[in-house]
Amino acid sequence: MSPEVPASHPVAAILSEFGGLNVGELGRGMECARSDVVFCWSPHEGYREIAEIGDLLQTELACFATAHNHHQSLYIDSGGRVFVVSPMMSGIGLMRRTFGDAMERALLGRKASPLLLPSHDGEVLLRGSPQIMSIGELKTG
């Protein structure tokens, strides 16, 4: 694991317990495709969305897995919320507020809640759409 992530961050416990494990398989899911999950330390820092979420929520995010045949990256923040970043989604989504719920969602093929960030141009996701969670809702909920 990276020395930049403190031992108290949830990613330390996840990778200690599951590091190197590959679970799930691709296929038809309940709302979208089911995903495989490969638990591994991955210092993905190139995603603008992750840096923006970290700044907005004043939290530290760390990548703990790849998913969907390595087309998605899963991040957990210091509060235990799990986010997914995918070039296919062109953005970031909240998987769930706990690790267990997020893994269930990925493995059963349930959709993440897309997040509309202040920097998003709004061409694909529109404010006010009921399936989109705002940063304000994430902070208060």
Side-chain angles (χ1 to χ4, degrees):
M1 195 164 67
S2 170
E4 297 97 37
V5 178
S8 61
H9 192 285
V11 77
I14 290 169
L15 292 177
S16 172
E17 184 76 23
F18 302 108
L21 188 62
N22 185 351
V23 298
E25 59 184 38
L26 299 175
R28 176 178 251 159
M30 298 176 85
E31 299 171 343
C32 60
R34 287 188 328 250
S35 185
D36 61 336
V37 178
V38 179
F39 293 93
C40 58
W41 169 253
S42 182
H44 289 115
E45 296 174 6
Y47 292 118
R48 173 190 50 78
E49 296 90 354
I50 285 297
E52 189 172 351
I53 285 287
D55 291 345
L56 289 167
L57 298 177
Q58 298 177 338
T59 189
E60 183 177 8
L61 289 116
C63 185
F64 67 88
T66 63
H68 207 74
N69 203 25
H70 302 287
H71 294 292
Q72 298 175 340
S73 296
L74 300 177
Y75 288 81
I76 191 163
D77 77 352
S78 50
R81 294 172 289 201
V82 177
F83 299 88
V84 58
V85 178
S86 169
M88 296 182 298
M89 281 177 39
S90 298
I92 187 168
L94 176 69
M95 286 296 286
R96 274 297 174 253
R97 295 179 189 279
T98 68
F99 172 75
D101 288 346
M103 291 303 92
E104 178 181 333
R105 195 161 209 69
L107 296 172
L108 292 177
R110 291 191 168 157
K111 294 179 182 176
S113 298
L115 295 174
L116 185 58
L117 301 175
S119 65
H120 197 278
D121 62 18
E123 290 178 2
V124 177
L125 301 174
L126 302 174
R127 262 180 227 292
S129 180
Q131 73 269 24
I132 297 173
M133 181 180 287
S134 72
I135 291 299
E137 291 169 321
L138 184 59
K139 285 181 177 179
T140 60

